[in-house]
Amino acid sequence: GLLLFGAAAGLLIGLPGTSGTQTPSAESVDVGFLQDMTVHHQQAVEMAAWERDHTADPYLGELAADLETTQNSQIGRMQGWLELWGAATLPTGGHMAWMSGASHDHAAGTSVAVMPGMASAEDLAALRAATGNDMDVLFLQLMLRHHEGGRVMMEHAATHAAIPQVRNLAAQMLSSQA
């Protein structure tokens, strides 16, 4: 009787775990996408911050600041969900094992060491060493490649994530980065 009363009271007052929201598994599209996209966004933020601080072009400075702000905000949201779900905030092992189907270059359930579009250490060093117009052009080339590379993950999550908010975030990212 007490157990039934406690469960009923919990439903009425909305104790944690009674809201009907689901917690995705560590292997889910939702968790994998948020972990991998955090890493992907962190590199974009790094490149954008460098460009913002070193360009003489006011338009590129504004673009870089917008990229940095938007992607930092999205990182915060993604990390918040992962912490709420008790999931690791960053991937352990490789990347993209959460993807399945024919929309990517590796077998379902297997991971890759480097996600598509990621700049290499050499690319980042070249960006930091460049100046003036050369730096601006390299930044734009790296950022374009970076955003195009993340597209496959965003498309997959927008279609296959179980949590509506994750699907919505992936779709928003896809739209804004296109």
Side-chain angles (χ1 to χ4, degrees):
L2 288 174
L3 186 59
L4 283 174
F5 175 77
L11 288 173
L12 290 174
I13 63 173
L15 291 174
T18 61
S19 65
T21 59
Q22 68 187 92
T23 300
S25 72
E27 298 79 27
S28 69
V29 169
D30 303 84
V31 169
F33 171 71
L34 297 178
Q35 290 170 337
D36 282 348
M37 195 51 66
T38 292
V39 173
H40 215 266
H41 271 23
Q42 285 171 334
Q43 187 180 75
V45 166
E46 177 185 350
M47 291 188 293
W50 183 265
E51 178 70 11
R52 182 205 64 216
D53 291 346
H54 295 90
T55 187
D57 185 316
Y59 298 108
L60 287 179
E62 187 176 324
L63 172 66
D66 182 55
L67 286 167
E68 181 184 17
T69 301
T70 300
Q71 295 206 354
N72 264 329
S73 173
Q74 291 171 346
I75 289 170
R77 192 174 343 167
M78 293 185 293
Q79 292 292 289
W81 286 334
L82 290 167
E83 287 183 25
L84 180 67
W85 299 332
T89 56
L90 294 174
T92 55
H95 301 283
M96 300 172 67
W98 52 274
M99 295 180 69
S100 61
S103 63
H104 57 87
D105 296 336
H106 61 279
T110 62
S111 63
V112 296
V114 179
M115 292 177 280
M118 295 293 282
S120 67
E122 293 80 17
D123 292 333
L124 296 174
L127 180 64
R128 288 188 294 272
T131 58
N133 192 51
D134 291 341
M135 180 194 67
D136 293 340
V137 169
L138 183 55
F139 167 73
L140 291 171
Q141 289 170 337
L142 291 173
M143 195 58 72
L144 180 61
R145 186 178 76 202
H146 189 88
H147 279 41
E148 288 174 346
R151 183 177 188 87
V152 68
M153 290 189 293
M154 290 179 256
E155 288 172 343
H156 192 83
T159 304
H160 296 95
I163 306 294
Q165 293 83 353
V166 175
R167 284 194 312 270
N168 185 47
L169 178 62
Q172 287 174 357
M173 288 175 181
L174 192 57
S175 176
S176 69
Q177 291 186 23

